Amino acid sequence: MSTITKEELQDLIGNKDLVGKYFQIEVVSFSDTSAECMMPLTDKHKNPLGIAHGGAIFSLADMCFETACHAAGRFCVNTQSSISFLNKGIGGKLFAKASLLKNGSKLVVYQVDITDIRNTLVAQGQITGYCLGNVAELIEKTKTSSYDG
């Protein structure tokens, strides 16, 4: 398992990544095979019907995937995604859990479940990532240059 801290993870996804910062995504917990993140559900996260916007839900899934990769010590980019929107996202928060399905030398696959405060499954997806290096290199890079995510 990587030696990355929760503070370093939060800095990468919540400060240095503009999407994570905009949507106020927070790291809840992580291990070497999974990560959990949370996103508040405010007006900027909702569509005109007053429910979670699909783009916000997808962003939460993608950022949780990124967090899980970083927690495992890897820097990966999303190369393919599939998401099914199953129920309305309502309440004050949404939660994502990314669970490792395949850990290859260059490719990883995670299942990502999005739930609301009632633990209703809002969306479920699968994300394949291509690994570019280790997260320590990414952290060092973000110290010397701006990180675009």
Side-chain angles (χ1 to χ4, degrees):
M1 182 169 165
S2 172
T3 58
I4 194 166
T5 67
K6 186 174 182 178
E7 291 76 20
E8 288 171 320
L9 276 174
Q10 186 62 52
D11 185 50
L12 286 172
I13 71 146
N15 295 324
K16 295 188 171 125
D17 191 300
L18 296 178
V19 171
K21 186 174 186 173
Y22 177 79
F23 283 121
Q24 301 167 278
I25 296 171
E26 296 178 21
V27 176
V28 174
S29 64
F30 60 94
S31 71
D32 58 344
T33 60
S34 67
E36 294 184 44
C37 295
M38 184 279 300
M39 178 179 74
L41 194 50
T42 68
D43 287 343
K44 75 177 176 182
H45 300 89
K46 296 177 183 177
N47 66 23
L49 298 174
I51 59 176
H53 191 285
I57 294 170
F58 180 84
S59 293
L60 175 60
D62 189 49
M63 296 303 297
C64 192
F65 155 79
E66 181 180 329
T67 301
C69 291
H70 293 346
R74 301 176 93 175
F75 174 49
C76 305
V77 293
N78 185 334
T79 60
Q80 193 281 329
S81 302
S82 172
I83 191 165
S84 296
F85 299 98
L86 304 170
N87 290 291
K88 293 187 251 184
I90 57 175
K93 297 177 183 178
L94 292 178
F95 303 90
K97 181 171 184 181
S99 302
L100 183 65
L101 298 176
K102 166 81 173 145
N103 189 16
S105 62
K106 285 290 186 184
L107 293 177
V108 293
V109 181
Y110 284 83
Q111 176 175 311
V112 184
D113 295 332
I114 308 293
T115 57
D116 64 15
I117 59 173
R118 298 166 302 172
N119 207 31
T120 299
L121 187 61
V122 173
Q124 187 172 64
Q126 192 173 89
I127 299 176
T128 300
Y130 181 78
C131 301
L132 300 172
N134 69 56
V135 74
E137 294 167 343
L138 175 64
I139 291 170
E140 192 58 37
K141 180 181 176 186
T142 64
K143 289 179 183 176
T144 60
S145 66
S146 65
Y147 172 57
D148 295 322

